């Protein structure tokens, strides 16, 4: 067998450790598939003395990035350190040095993808990033290659396992958000600082990447409207279930008449929809194309080994390209410009829960405001009493977001309305 292809690993945390384990465990099989073995030559770490979850020859470890970036024998650099800097500069330097790069860094791609792909194209090297979205789910490769002959009309996904775990527990056990979050942190499903997950930032970065590929236009993280799940109440999940819906944190990207909608927020989803049955820490991404129709990709969206699976798949792709002299085949797919529709102009249905005074004329007053703002109501249900106050749930027909916002602002100020307790979007139509 020929000489091994040398790899430099930037980072040895959870994902880096998984990559090291997987290459060691499945090395012989990988070598047979490629025709050449893969070998990690150097690993960049912050602290040489730190105890690690994997046994690594100390000789492989370095705190000097140039020991990897400037080594002419290293042909593939794997960035699994995370964060924006110095990861961005290391990736750029690796590409400048003529090395192919594999990264799991969604933050980097969602903000600096244009710069990174330009650098890869200039040197004719690979920049591969399957692990940046969906952990072990092969969604990037599928959109860029397997579904490349389609016009993709929409990509809808559960792309954050932490929030899906929390919502699953709230749904199944009727427990409040704060209690389930604390449990998720104890079990390792949520970070000590969970803000990026529970406020929708993590999902928004992933949807920026997916939308860019699906629609051939550059979408960056700041363009993605996003909301989190911290405001959701158990009663909303209960009422949604009574009405035939599950509540999920959804990433939604659609192309309509040359414009792209891309947003992340909680939404009521009909129980018949495949995404409504995705529970726990699992992710799923639902794609619709003009030729393939509907397809769903499902699996563990994070974690040491699922993410390592995607990273090692990219390493093998980069190695195969180097062996055959074809690196750089899959460059940037953002070949056109399509504007992002402002959230205020999007149209969807809504679930609203209000606490109102239990007296005649309340419903007429609320309905009058909705009518004035062209908000059409599909159903109104009194779901309970809170002392001498009634709890009402409304489901609207499709309405422009700005109209709904204006109506809610006015209704909140009505003397007969104590509180507009919840406003949640509704995706999809229920089967009758």
């Amino acid at each position: 067998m020929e000489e091994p292809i040398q790899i430099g690993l930037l980072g040895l945390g959870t994902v880096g450790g998984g990559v090291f384990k997987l290459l060691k465990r499945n090395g012989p099989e990988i070598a047979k598939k490629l025709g050449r073995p893969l070998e990690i030559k150097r690993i960049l770490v912050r602290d040489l003395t730190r105890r690690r979850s994997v046994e690594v020859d100390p000789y492989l470890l370095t705190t000097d990035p140039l020991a990897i970036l400037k080594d002419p024998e290293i042909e593939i650099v794997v960035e699994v350190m995370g964060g924006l800097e110095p990861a961005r500069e290391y990736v750029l330097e690796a590409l400048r040095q003529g090395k192919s790069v594999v990264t799991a860094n969604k933050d980097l791609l969602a903000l600096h993808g244009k710069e990174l792909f330009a650098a890869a194209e200039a040197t004719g090297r690979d920049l591969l990033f399957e692990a940046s979205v969906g952990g072990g789910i092969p969604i990037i490769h599928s959109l860029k290659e397997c579904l490349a002959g389609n016009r993709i009309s929409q990509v809808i996904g559960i792309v954050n396992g932490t929030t899906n775990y929390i919502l699953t527990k709230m749904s199944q056990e009727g427990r409040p958000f704060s209690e389930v979050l604390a449990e998720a942190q104890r079990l390792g499903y949520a970070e000590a600082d969970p803000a990026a997950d529970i406020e929708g930032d993590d999902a928004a970065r992933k949807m920026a990447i997916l939308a860019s590929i699906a629609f051939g236009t550059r979408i960056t993280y700041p363009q993605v409207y996003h909301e989190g799940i911290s405001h959701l109440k158990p009663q909303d999940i209960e009422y949604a279930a009574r009405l035939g819906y599950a509540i999920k944190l959804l990433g939604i990207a659609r192309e309509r008449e040359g414009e792209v909608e891309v947003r992340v927020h909680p939404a009521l989803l009909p129980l018949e929809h495949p995404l409504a049955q995705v529970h726990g820490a699992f992710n799923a991404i639902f794609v619709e194309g003009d030729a393939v129709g509907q397809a769903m990709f499902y699996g563990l969206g994070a974690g040491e080994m699922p993410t390592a699976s995607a990273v090692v798949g990219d390493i093998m792709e980069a190695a195969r390209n180097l062996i055959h002299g074809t690196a750089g085949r899959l460059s940037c797919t953002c070949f056109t410009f399509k504007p992002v529709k402002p959230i205020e102009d999007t149209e969807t249905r809504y679930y609203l829960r209000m606490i109102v005074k239990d007296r005649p004329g309340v419903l007429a007053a609320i309905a009058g405001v909705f009518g004035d703002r062209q908000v059409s109501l599909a159903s109104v249900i009194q779901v309970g009493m809170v002392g001498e106050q009634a709890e009402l749930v409304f489901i609207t027909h499709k309405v422009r977001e700005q109209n709904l916002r204006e109506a809610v602002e006015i209704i909140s100020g009505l003397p007969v309305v104590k509180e507009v307790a919840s406003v949640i979007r509704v995706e999809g139509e229920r089967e009758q």
Side-chain angles (χ1 to χ4, degrees), residues 324-390:
H324 296 287
T326 57
R329 288 184 309 126
L330 286 176
S331 59
C332 182
T333 55
C334 300
F335 49 82
T336 188
F337 170 77
K338 296 171 185 174
V340 175
K341 179 179 282 191
I343 188 65
E344 295 82 6
D345 292 337
T346 59
E347 292 187 358
T348 189
R349 298 162 64 223
Y350 286 86
Y351 159 104
L352 301 99
R353 179 169 58 88
M354 302 182 192
I355 311 298
V356 303
K357 294 180 180 179
D358 186 22
R359 65 174 62 169
V362 170
L363 194 55
I366 294 171
V369 175
F370 279 137
D372 289 344
R373 290 297 180 275
Q374 291 79 52
V375 180
S376 175
L377 296 176
S379 61
V380 183
I381 307 163
Q382 182 167 331
V383 292
M385 297 293 294
V386 183
E388 296 182 354
Q389 297 167 327

Side-chain angles (χ1 to χ4, degrees), residues 183-301:
E183 178 186 279
Q185 289 173 311
R186 288 195 302 272
L187 295 174
Y189 288 110
E191 302 286 346
D193 180 2
D197 292 319
I198 65 173
E199 299 305 333
D201 299 270
D202 174 82
R205 290 178 170 92
K206 294 170 181 175
M207 291 309 299
I209 295 169
L210 291 179
S212 296
I213 299 169
F215 307 127
T217 185
R218 184 162 309 285
I219 308 291
T220 60
Y221 161 67
Q223 294 176 287
V224 182
Y225 174 84
H226 58 280
E227 297 175 12
I229 65 168
S230 57
H231 64 286
L232 294 178
K233 301 293 189 292
Q235 56 264 48
D236 292 313
I237 294 174
E238 178 190 344
Y239 299 154
R242 285 192 209 172
L243 295 166
Y245 295 93
I247 297 181
K248 297 291 185 181
L249 183 74
L250 292 183
I252 299 167
R254 294 191 177 101
E255 183 180 353
R256 298 272 172 83
E257 298 178 349
E259 287 186 307
V260 174
E261 290 182 24
V262 56
R263 45 196 164 95
V264 170
H265 51 70
L268 274 70
L269 197 63
L271 292 174
E272 306 87 45
H273 196 288
L275 289 174
Q277 303 306 316
V278 177
H279 302 307
F282 281 83
N283 283 195
I285 299 163
F286 187 83
V287 179
E288 190 164 338
D290 64 340
V292 74
Q294 297 177 339
M296 191 167 91
F297 302 80
Y298 171 86
L300 286 170

